[in-house]
Amino acid sequence: MFELLSQKFEEKIQLTEEEKELSRKFFTPKKLRRRQYLLQEGDVCKYVTFVEKGLLRYYTVDERGQEHITQFAFEGWWISDLLSFLTGEPSTYNIDALEHCELLLLSKAAEDEMLERIPKLERYFRILLQNNLIATQKRLASSLNQTAEERYSELIQSCPETLPQRIPQHMLASFLGITPETLSRIRRQLTLKAQGTRDKVQE
Amino acid sequence: MFELLSQKFEEKIQLTEEEKELSRKFFTPKKLRRRQYLLQEGDVCKYVTFVEKGLLRYYTVDERGQEHITQFAFEGWWISDLLSFLTGEPSTYNIDALEHCELLLLSKAAEDEMLERIPKLERYFRILLQNNLIATQKRLASSLNQTAEERYSELIQSCPETLPQRIPQHMLASFLGITPETLSRIRRQLTLKAQGTRDKVQE
């Protein structure tokens, strides 16, 4: 259950065998079936969650009942409403499972104790937050300045290759802030462009 | 020169006098006059910068020559193009001074050595990045879901009180992704609403 988490730790820091063993004690394993919630709007987010297996989405629902997806989380990613987690205020977000998930939950108390007993993990989380901040800043800039086509191309490049098979089209459209029709048009255009390039190479 | 930085460290971690003394050796003080650049598009961002005094802005310029301001940095804030700083790729951003500034620069090599010699600072930067990530996520969500009026109100609440006096209107508008005319209209409406509330209370 802890294979991927250990691997992710090792990419950024070196833990002793004892520290590895100890770190696992702070996490609570949890399985979610498809469509089950990890967090519901109005509840306090009590955990930061590591995804060992599966896929989740993070989203708000506006007054008209429309879903706005802010993030997807694949194997090896972390997901949480950090604001609610840190302040104890009710969340305005939902997190639910798009596939069967195997998760590792870390509560605030467990995180505090873990960081006190294994200070090296401060570095791991610092680097993680740094990378997440860069990705979020890029997304903010692109939401203000880029076309939908540019945003879609960036998404495809930054995520696992299986993304288009694993995420329904209307959810990808919601993440990009466009309609499913616009997304279909963009995908058709990109396919035509790619074929054009291939034909050119084969000439 | 290091008063504010020391104060900010102390809000999050406890350093010994020796660690405080040592930490200062890694920073290079720099003054900027109004309109001078800290970073220009095309250059590599070589420092993360702490603002002891003054005000800067962080922005891109699009193909039509229009400025898109992504961030302001006041006293006590950090500013950097983290992506360029970490990867060594040329920046697509500019950072310039809106007021006379007194800054503390931290290079990548200096940061690495500082974190190795004072590991407690991993925690300081972890918390800093965490808060910054929350603010950026909120801004991303609001850029996708909120009206310009809601975005303006949030900005006013989250920044120092002196913000409207210190930042020209057209730059605030750029930060909010709206025209200066729309911003003027929003400000008039909010003033009228505030007066209405006051009149109601006095009745």
Side-chain angles (χ1 to χ4, degrees):
Chain A
M1 187 75 183
F2 288 88
E3 293 74 25
L4 194 53
L5 181 65
S6 294
Q7 185 186 318
K8 289 288 164 181
F9 282 165
E10 268 165 39
E11 284 174 12
K12 299 190 170 63
I13 53 168
Q14 288 192 313
L15 295 178
T16 63
E17 282 307 316
E18 290 77 37
E19 285 170 332
K20 270 183 212 166
E21 266 307 299
L22 176 62
S23 73
R24 290 170 188 183
K25 300 211 170 108
F26 298 104
F27 290 88
T28 310
K30 184 180 177 78
K31 292 186 181 189
L32 276 190
R33 293 191 314 280
R34 197 167 159 251
R35 297 224 174 99
Q36 277 192 304
Y37 284 87
L38 179 65
L39 173 70
Q40 292 195 66
E41 193 185 335
D43 293 345
V44 173
C45 179
K46 293 203 177 124
Y47 306 99
V48 291
T49 299
F50 182 79
V51 187
E52 276 282 332
K53 193 167 179 302
L55 170 62
L56 305 104
R57 66 177 173 152
Y58 179 84
Y59 63 103
T60 53
V61 182
D62 70 18
E63 285 155 15
R64 291 169 304 159
Q66 202 174 349
E67 293 171 357
H68 299 277
I69 301 175
T70 307
Q71 199 194 325
F72 297 106
F74 295 86
E75 297 86 0
W77 292 30
W78 290 84
I79 192 159
S80 162
D81 177 352
L82 265 189
L83 183 67
S84 171
F85 178 75
L86 292 172
T87 62
E89 286 171 22
S91 178
T92 53
Y93 287 90
N94 301 276
I95 302 175
D96 64 11
L98 299 182
E99 300 174 356
H100 168 83
C101 287
E102 296 180 11
L103 308 172
L104 295 171
L105 311 185
L106 184 66
S107 71
K108 189 79 195 70
E111 190 200 38
D112 288 346
E113 197 188 329
M114 185 173 78
L115 290 172
E116 200 165 308
R117 294 187 60 187
I118 316 172
K120 277 180 206 167
L121 283 170
E122 293 278 4
R123 182 176 177 82
Y124 169 81
F125 285 108
R126 198 249 311 159
I127 297 172
L128 192 78
L129 286 161
Q130 190 168 272
N131 293 342
N132 200 325
L133 179 61
I134 290 172
T136 308
Q137 282 176 343
K138 281 176 98 168
R139 234 194 120 214
L140 174 61
S142 74
S143 81
L144 292 167
N145 307 329
Q146 286 189 330
T147 66
E149 181 175 331
E150 287 166 341
R151 294 208 300 272
Y152 177 73
S153 297
E154 273 199 7
L155 173 68
I156 293 294
Q157 280 164 22
S158 72
C159 278
E161 280 179 22
T162 51
L163 177 102
Q165 287 88 56
R166 290 173 71 183
I167 298 180
Q169 288 303 300
H170 70 278
M171 291 189 189
L172 274 186
S174 166
F175 178 82
L176 294 165
I178 57 179
T179 64
E181 292 72 30
T182 305
L183 180 57
S184 294
R185 187 172 48 72
I186 290 171
R187 284 167 56 92
R188 272 201 309 279
Q189 283 169 347
L190 288 176
T191 308
L192 286 173
K193 260 194 207 167
Q195 281 174 349
T197 313
R198 255 204 318 279
D199 293 350
K200 205 110 192 168
V201 170
Q202 286 171 348
E203 263 170 18
Chain B
M1 188 75 182
F2 288 87
E3 292 74 23
L4 194 53
L5 181 66
S6 294
Q7 186 187 319
K8 290 286 165 185
F9 281 164
E10 268 165 40
E11 285 174 12
K12 299 191 172 58
I13 53 166
Q14 289 192 311
L15 295 178
T16 63
E17 282 306 316
E18 290 77 37
E19 286 169 333
K20 270 183 214 167
E21 267 306 302
L22 176 60
S23 72
R24 291 172 187 181
K25 301 215 169 104
F26 297 104
F27 289 88
T28 310
K30 184 180 176 76
K31 293 186 180 189
L32 275 190
R33 291 190 316 279
R34 198 165 160 251
R35 300 223 171 98
Q36 276 192 307
Y37 283 87
L38 178 64
L39 173 69
Q40 291 194 67
E41 195 183 335
D43 292 346
V44 173
C45 179
K46 293 203 178 123
Y47 307 99
V48 291
T49 299
F50 181 79
V51 186
E52 276 281 333
K53 193 166 180 299
L55 169 62
L56 306 103
R57 66 177 174 153
Y58 179 83
Y59 63 102
T60 53
V61 181
D62 71 18
E63 286 157 12
R64 290 170 303 156
Q66 203 174 345
E67 294 171 358
H68 300 277
I69 301 175
T70 306
Q71 198 195 326
F72 297 105
F74 295 87
E75 296 88 358
W77 292 31
W78 289 84
I79 193 159
S80 162
D81 177 351
L82 266 187
L83 182 68
S84 172
F85 177 74
L86 292 172
T87 62
E89 285 172 23
S91 178
T92 54
Y93 288 90
N94 301 275
I95 302 175
D96 64 12
L98 299 183
E99 299 173 358
H100 168 82
C101 287
E102 295 180 12
L103 309 171
L104 295 171
L105 310 186
L106 183 66
S107 73
K108 191 80 194 70
E111 189 200 38
D112 288 346
E113 197 190 329
M114 186 173 77
L115 290 173
E116 199 164 309
R117 295 187 60 185
I118 316 173
K120 278 181 207 166
L121 284 170
E122 292 279 3
R123 182 176 177 82
Y124 170 81
F125 284 108
R126 199 251 309 157
I127 297 174
L128 190 79
L129 285 161
Q130 189 168 271
N131 293 341
N132 200 328
L133 179 61
I134 290 173
T136 308
Q137 282 176 342
K138 283 176 94 168
R139 228 189 127 217
L140 174 60
S142 74
S143 81
L144 293 167
N145 307 327
Q146 288 190 329
T147 65
E149 182 175 329
E150 289 165 340
R151 295 207 300 273
Y152 177 71
S153 296
E154 274 198 7
L155 173 69
I156 293 295
Q157 279 162 24
S158 72
C159 279
E161 280 180 22
T162 50
L163 176 103
Q165 287 88 55
R166 289 173 70 182
I167 299 178
Q169 288 304 300
H170 71 277
M171 291 189 188
L172 275 185
S174 165
F175 178 82
L176 294 164
I178 57 179
T179 64
E181 293 70 31
T182 304
L183 180 58
S184 294
R185 187 173 48 72
I186 289 171
R187 286 168 54 92
R188 272 200 308 276
Q189 283 168 347
L190 288 175
T191 308
L192 286 172
K193 261 193 207 168
Q195 282 174 348
T197 313
R198 255 205 318 281
D199 294 348
K200 205 110 191 168
V201 169
Q202 286 171 348
E203 263 168 17

